[in-house]
Amino acid sequence: MASTIRHLSTTTKKISISKAKSRLRSEHDPDKALAIFSSASSNDSSPPFVSRYAQDLTVRRLAKSHRFADIESLLESHKSNPQIKQEPFLSSLIRSYGVAGMFDQALKTYQEMDQLGTPRSFISFNSLLSACIQSKLYNKVPVLFNEISEKYRVLPDKVSFGMLVKAYCEDGKPEKAIEVLEGMEKKGVEVTTIVCTPVLNCLYSKGKNEEAERFLDWMVERGCELDAVVYNVKISNAVNQGAERVKELIEEMKNSGLKPDTISYNYLMTSYCMSGMMEEAKKVYEGLRVHGCKANAATFRTLVFNSCKSGEYEKGYKIFKDSVREHRIPDFNTLKYLAKGLVEKKKIKEAKGLIHTMKKKFPPNLLNAWRKLEENLGLHSTEEDKEVKEASA
DNA sequence: GTAGGGTTAG
């Protein structure tokens, strides 16, 4: 596997990082992603965040295929780069390990900073906390926060505290999160809208609506602006109160000078779907562009899933084709649901087209899953497959 | 998107 990296990096033509980034967006095959990333020239004039983003995407593609050894050799190879002495560069490695859910390697990289000659501040500390959260080790975050900040004499900033708050919320402990916020106030660390948002989300998702409303007041008292994300959290809580209520909140959002985004409209769609109003949900989808929004993978996932749920598999298939065109493909389980439904409805050509496309789009480790599904559904390869290939191309 | 942080799983 590691030989793949060497092979690809020596045989591909050099391209710019920004070009690599846009190609990576639509490339789900980890080997091809790796080839694109390796061929991206590092002395490119692109700003640093472009290459950081490209690295994250590559790591994400590899992680989806469980290619952890490849991720390690890719990231470890950067430790011999002279830039490793710069904290942001090293921090990007820690963050990428987090993206892959490889917390042990993230921690190891943090501990290696002395020998690599990289100074520590809250930047790398925050990357480490971020890696811990990305790896879903929520209950480890408070321990890490205390031990690391003490051992390496790092002074946590508002972002560090924000991650502590987020971790407590993910761990289902909003009261601990609120204690952190109160502690920040005492220490004179700014309490921002961003640090508060996970708490609000947590309270709503636990059904503690009154507490959530009181918490919102608390935020406003501290001068936190209620921004689009806060509104989206409020909207998420209103999804099961009917689409009318969601629309009200979207109006309220506009009236306070905020622009509803794709996530806001996705919630509206979900709300329609929950009431069985599929036509209305589809209208929201079709109207996204008018509102200056673009459908994302969650948009397609929601629509495909709910089309299937209401037995409208052909409509689901049409939306699936849109998602392929937009390079925003729903997850495997949603598409499996669609494939099964199409077969049940004897839409064999569509089902074969779906599987044919997915075999090309999904990483190789899922190929077996698709083959198995193909077998279970009795979709054996036949003469008419040539026709299907043309139809799905 | 500009070092590191918040919202979408039915």
Side-chain angles (χ1 to χ4, degrees):
Chain A
M1 276 202 200
S3 63
T4 318
I5 296 178
R6 277 197 300 276
H7 171 71
L8 292 169
S9 59
T10 52
T11 53
T12 34
K13 222 175 83 200
K14 287 285 175 192
I15 55 169
S16 77
I17 292 178
S18 12
K19 193 158 195 177
K21 188 196 93 178
S22 66
R23 281 200 203 162
L24 279 165
R25 273 225 56 89
S26 57
E27 185 52 72
H28 288 256
D29 183 305
D31 286 306
K32 289 179 185 158
L34 199 47
I36 294 167
F37 184 69
S38 311
S39 67
S41 129
S42 51
N43 52 8
D44 182 279
S45 59
S46 313
F49 68 83
V50 173
S51 64
R52 213 178 314 124
Y53 183 83
Q55 177 172 289
D56 273 7
L57 270 177
T58 307
V59 167
R60 217 165 261 137
R61 301 292 186 251
L62 287 166
K64 230 181 182 174
S65 298
H66 300 104
R67 300 267 293 270
F68 302 113
D70 283 341
I71 293 171
E72 197 164 356
S73 43
L74 176 69
L75 296 179
E76 291 300 309
S77 75
H78 290 153
K79 289 184 183 171
S80 53
N81 186 320
Q83 285 190 74
I84 199 69
K85 292 193 188 323
Q86 291 167 23
E87 198 184 9
F89 184 86
L90 182 136
S91 301
S92 83
L93 302 185
I94 295 180
R95 268 190 61 256
S96 289
Y97 272 130
V99 163
M102 297 165 77
F103 177 70
D104 290 344
Q105 283 86 343
L107 182 59
K108 190 175 143 265
T109 304
Y110 186 83
Q111 287 162 340
E112 280 170 358
M113 290 176 78
D114 306 282
Q115 61 192 88
L116 291 168
T118 319
R120 286 191 182 86
S121 76
F122 49 79
I123 304 275
S124 49
F125 178 56
N126 292 346
S127 300
L128 184 65
L129 293 176
S130 158
C132 196
I133 288 178
Q134 294 255 37
S135 308
K136 301 191 191 304
L137 301 168
Y138 305 118
N139 56 15
K140 219 178 176 124
V141 172
V143 183
L144 201 66
F145 188 98
N146 292 325
E147 285 182 357
I148 297 283
S149 62
E150 195 172 313
K151 181 172 177 190
Y152 297 100
R153 308 245 164 253
V154 178
L155 190 65
D157 72 345
K158 61 180 175 185
V159 176
S160 327
F161 283 109
M163 282 187 280
L164 186 56
V165 167
K166 162 87 174 156
Y168 276 128
C169 291
E170 288 291 339
D171 209 18
K173 295 168 176 161
E175 64 293 337
K176 298 289 276 180
I178 291 170
E179 270 176 37
V180 175
L181 294 178
E182 286 163 352
M184 287 173 74
E185 271 199 306
K186 278 191 198 129
K187 292 187 186 78
V189 180
E190 188 192 4
V191 174
T192 64
T193 305
I194 294 178
V195 269
C196 293
T197 308
V199 179
L200 188 68
N201 189 43
C202 179
L203 292 173
Y204 275 133
S205 60
K206 280 180 164 269
K208 298 181 171 182
N209 287 14
E210 278 179 30
E211 258 186 75
E213 299 300 329
R214 276 205 302 277
F215 184 74
L216 265 171
D217 294 337
W218 186 88
M219 283 172 66
V220 173
E221 279 164 29
R222 270 146 196 84
C224 293
E225 299 261 343
L226 304 189
D227 63 9
V229 178
V230 169
Y231 265 95
N232 282 344
V233 170
K234 283 180 79 168
I235 290 171
S236 74
N237 178 250
V239 158
N240 53 18
Q241 294 166 23
E244 286 311 309
R245 177 67 190 135
V246 173
K247 282 206 302 207
E248 249 174 58
L249 284 171
I250 287 180
E251 281 311 306
E252 201 181 305
M253 200 171 167
K254 286 181 188 163
N255 291 338
S256 25
L258 298 166
K259 192 179 156 319
D261 59 13
T262 304
I263 296 177
S264 323
Y265 291 111
N266 283 352
Y267 283 129
L268 180 58
M269 271 179 24
T270 303
S271 185
Y272 277 126
C273 291
M274 281 170 74
S275 329
M277 299 163 79
M278 286 308 295
E279 279 308 308
E280 293 300 317
K282 233 185 124 203
K283 274 186 206 159
V284 176
Y285 162 65
E286 286 157 355
L288 279 175
R289 275 184 186 284
V290 183
H291 294 113
C293 298
K294 265 183 91 170
N296 61 20
T299 311
F300 291 115
R301 186 186 65 207
T302 304
L303 273 180
V304 170
F305 178 83
N306 285 287
S307 299
C308 292
K309 210 172 158 196
S310 57
E312 299 176 289
Y313 298 103
E314 282 166 276
K315 279 186 186 159
Y317 184 62
K318 271 193 185 149
I319 294 158
F320 161 73
K321 288 211 282 193
D322 288 356
S323 81
V324 174
R325 211 177 310 121
E326 307 271 329
H327 305 300
R328 300 274 136 84
I329 304 168
D331 61 302
F332 178 78
N333 281 328
T334 302
L335 296 178
K336 188 166 140 184
Y337 191 8
L338 179 60
K340 282 185 174 175
L342 287 169
V343 170
E344 254 168 53
K345 295 273 178 182
K346 308 270 185 278
K347 300 286 167 196
I348 303 303
K349 208 162 149 181
E350 285 82 354
K352 284 191 173 180
L354 168 68
I355 289 180
H356 177 75
T357 309
M358 294 331 295
K359 278 180 168 175
K360 284 195 302 194
K361 296 281 175 188
F362 270 111
N365 70 314
L366 275 176
L367 270 179
N368 269 340
W370 282 109
R371 278 199 204 105
K372 225 165 121 186
L373 183 66
E374 201 175 13
E375 239 176 72
N376 288 343
L377 297 176
L379 298 172
H380 308 294
S381 295
T382 60
E383 275 301 305
E384 62 178 308
D385 281 358
K386 272 186 191 160
E387 211 180 312
V388 173
K389 276 180 196 166
E390 279 150 26
S392 73

